[in-house]
Amino acid sequence: MVIKKRKPEKIELKLLNALQNPTIQSSQLSHMNYLPLYISDNMRHSLRSYQIGAIQNLDMVRHMQAADTLYNQLMFYMATGSGKTDIMAATVLYLYHEFHYQCFLFTTHTTAVVNKTLDNFINTTSPKYLFNNPISIDGSQVTIKAVNTFPAELDPDIIYMKFTGIQQLSNDIYTPHENEITEESLAQHKVVILADEAHHFNVGTRSKQKNQDSRNWERLLDHIRGLNTKNLQLEFTATIDLHNPE
């Protein structure tokens, strides 16, 4: 008996396909022809060509019409070991410089990853620190500051980052405590959500047999993203089922 192999199902990624369209690439959307100095001069590691391509794709999407509404939830789908955290760091500098975002909320499903990423972004003495020290943008020294909650008034030249596990974030939002992040503090400024290991957060969308925790986490991030029309959610994962149409 001869068993015929099934041809792999073609995956339609409409946004990515559009970005790779030569017409769009040659249009005014594709104005980042090289990695800006405010990124390259401030990163400890030189970005590889595909990492630069990912930043260029983000830049093209951010300049699309109605991007804040249509493309406020984007995923970086990259293999383990391909440098997702470096891309995350570069996007922080990019969004701070180009769109004046100062508030970033990093979350993931395990405390260990939270602590590791905090070290990557905050601990200037760590060999894993991702930036050159000091960070200098347009002649000003910029500080990345870890916070429990975002202040009512944002100081210039500071990037505020909240690092938290998704379960702790859920507890903080639904059972508020003094000096911790709240729905009100998240609503007062435009915020970028950095969701690492994001396949844990979209089980509610992709699975018919929904995991209750993951479904609630997905709803939570959707809710936070909806608190401000300028909020943006960037997801990072090496594990996602692209054949699932949802």
Side-chain angles (χ1 to χ4, degrees), residues 1-234:
M1 182 175 65
V2 177
I3 300 177
K4 292 184 179 180
K5 292 184 179 180
R6 292 181 60 185
K7 289 184 179 180
E9 182 182 349
K10 186 178 180 181
I11 300 171
E12 290 292 339
L13 300 173
K14 293 181 181 179
L15 180 58
L16 185 58
N17 291 342
L19 294 175
Q20 294 173 342
N21 185 312
T23 303
I24 290 183
Q25 289 188 343
S26 62
S27 73
Q28 61 180 351
L29 296 177
S30 184
H31 70 282
M32 187 187 283
N33 297 318
Y34 56 88
L35 193 66
L37 293 179
Y38 67 81
I39 295 178
S40 59
D41 285 355
N42 288 301
M43 296 286 296
R44 180 169 287 185
H45 305 136
S46 297
L47 295 187
R48 303 163 200 166
S49 59
Y50 63 85
Q51 293 171 317
I52 296 172
I55 301 299
Q56 289 172 326
N57 282 347
L58 175 63
D59 180 63
M60 281 194 282
V61 173
R62 291 300 302 158
H63 285 90
M64 285 182 170
Q65 188 173 6
D68 287 334
T69 303
L70 298 178
Y71 304 115
N72 62 2
Q73 183 180 12
L74 301 168
M75 176 176 284
F76 291 83
Y77 175 50
M78 307 184 73
T80 300
S82 61
K84 293 194 300 296
T85 314
D86 275 319
I87 289 180
M88 193 182 299
T91 62
V92 168
L93 297 178
Y94 166 76
L95 291 168
Y96 169 78
H97 182 273
E98 299 294 333
F99 296 95
H100 312 296
Y101 282 92
Q102 288 185 257
C103 298
F104 293 81
L105 172 63
F106 174 89
T107 191
T108 190
H109 72 300
T110 64
T111 303
V113 177
V114 173
N115 293 336
K116 178 179 73 69
T117 308
L118 193 151
D119 217 35
N120 293 154
F121 278 83
I122 302 299
N123 185 0
T124 57
T125 64
S126 170
K128 299 294 186 180
Y129 186 63
L130 296 174
F131 302 99
N132 289 325
N133 188 29
I135 297 171
S136 179
I137 297 178
D138 294 339
S140 297
Q141 187 168 317
V142 176
T143 301
I144 300 180
K145 182 178 180 180
V147 294
N148 287 332
T149 188
F150 299 122
E153 297 292 332
L154 303 180
D155 291 329
D157 304 324
I158 294 182
I159 295 172
Y160 299 91
M161 294 196 71
K162 166 72 174 179
F163 297 87
T164 182
I166 188 68
Q167 188 58 60
Q168 184 60 52
L169 179 61
S170 178
N171 294 341
D172 289 340
I173 296 301
Y174 296 128
T175 312
H177 292 87
E178 190 175 1
N179 298 324
E180 292 295 339
I181 204 158
T182 63
E183 193 171 309
E184 289 73 21
S185 68
L186 286 169
Q188 63 187 338
H189 305 297
K190 59 183 183 181
V191 174
V192 179
I193 302 168
L194 302 172
D196 199 15
E197 302 293 332
H199 54 279
H200 291 283
F201 302 146
N202 54 37
V203 170
T205 291
R206 64 185 169 85
S207 176
K208 292 182 179 178
Q209 296 180 342
K210 298 181 178 74
N211 174 280
Q212 187 64 41
D213 282 342
S214 296
R215 183 170 57 186
N216 291 340
W217 295 340
E218 184 177 22
R219 281 204 207 104
L220 172 65
L221 294 182
D222 287 346
H223 176 64
I224 292 172
R225 194 173 65 253
L227 292 174
N228 188 307
T229 57
K230 294 290 185 179
N231 283 357
L232 178 63
Q233 184 170 324
L234 300 181

